[in-house]
Amino acid sequence: DSPDPNTLAAEKSTAVVDGASLTKRSEEEEAMGEQGELAAEKHVRYIVTAEKKKDSFESLVMEHLRASGAYWGLTTLDLLHKLHAVDAAEVVDWIMSCYHPESGGFGGNVGHDPHVLYTLSAVQVLCLFDRLDVLDADKIADYITGLQNEDGSFSGDIWGEVDTR
């Protein structure tokens, strides 16, 4: 007989202190409600408030990849059926402020150079809000095809960083 993995997991997270049994909640359990259901509102609150902490250390060191972070957070909200928790017009305006009309690409944030990855994230965010109408699809396609190398790979930007993904 092999032990039940659920029992083993519970035993590993239980400690005895002064004769009392204390159970440490895992991060996964913290994200779940009392009945083992996803605590969606806690996730929504975290995502929405993370955007408002622009002066935090974490925000500052990840400023250059904000477009991708926005995509990941907004996709999470969409999966939770909570995309309405953000102002769509505000998000679209910010995404478009990252656009470089001279190249057709998007930077990871306002004032950052265009890059193929952030261009993808920007297009994906606009898809979430059904706002592809604001794009110059031909200009974006020219930007992306202009980054393709002879061997079929793509440079991430005009300086030649090769993106093997």
Side-chain angles (χ1 to χ4, degrees):
D1 264 350
S2 58
D4 176 22
N6 294 325
T7 303
L8 287 176
E11 289 172 356
K12 288 181 183 178
S13 64
T14 302
V16 176
V17 178
D18 294 330
S21 176
L22 303 175
T23 303
K24 180 182 175 193
R25 295 185 72 183
S26 70
E27 287 181 26
E28 182 178 322
E29 291 169 324
E30 287 292 328
M32 304 299 275
E34 292 301 317
Q35 302 299 316
E37 295 180 17
L38 183 67
E41 290 307 317
K42 285 184 178 183
H43 292 282
V44 171
R45 195 171 351 165
Y46 175 81
I47 292 166
V48 171
T49 58
E51 165 57 22
K52 305 213 182 307
K53 298 177 181 177
K54 293 182 180 136
D55 292 331
S56 72
F57 174 76
E58 293 84 0
S59 181
L60 293 172
V61 297
M62 295 188 302
E63 174 191 19
H64 66 287
L65 52 81
R66 187 169 172 228
S68 293
Y71 167 69
W72 300 323
L74 293 166
T75 299
T76 301
L77 292 177
D78 191 41
L79 290 170
L80 293 171
H81 306 287
K82 301 289 184 178
L83 193 56
H84 63 275
V86 297
D87 183 331
E90 186 178 310
V91 174
V92 170
D93 287 346
W94 171 74
I95 286 289
M96 293 311 295
S97 71
C98 298
Y99 182 59
H100 292 259
E102 68 284 354
S103 69
F106 286 81
N109 204 342
V110 177
H112 288 257
D113 293 327
H115 192 282
V116 70
L117 293 179
Y118 307 126
T119 300
L120 171 63
S121 293
V123 171
Q124 290 170 316
V125 166
L126 293 170
C127 281
L128 284 171
F129 292 104
D130 196 25
R131 288 303 313 273
L132 294 178
D133 61 300
V134 300
L135 296 176
D136 182 342
D138 292 333
K139 188 75 172 175
I140 294 171
D142 289 345
Y143 171 71
I144 294 169
T145 57
L147 292 172
Q148 189 165 22
N149 301 314
E150 286 183 26
D151 66 358
S153 66
F154 286 85
S155 294
D157 54 34
I158 61 171
W159 292 276
E161 169 202 7
V162 175
D163 192 321
T164 58
R165 288 172 272 188

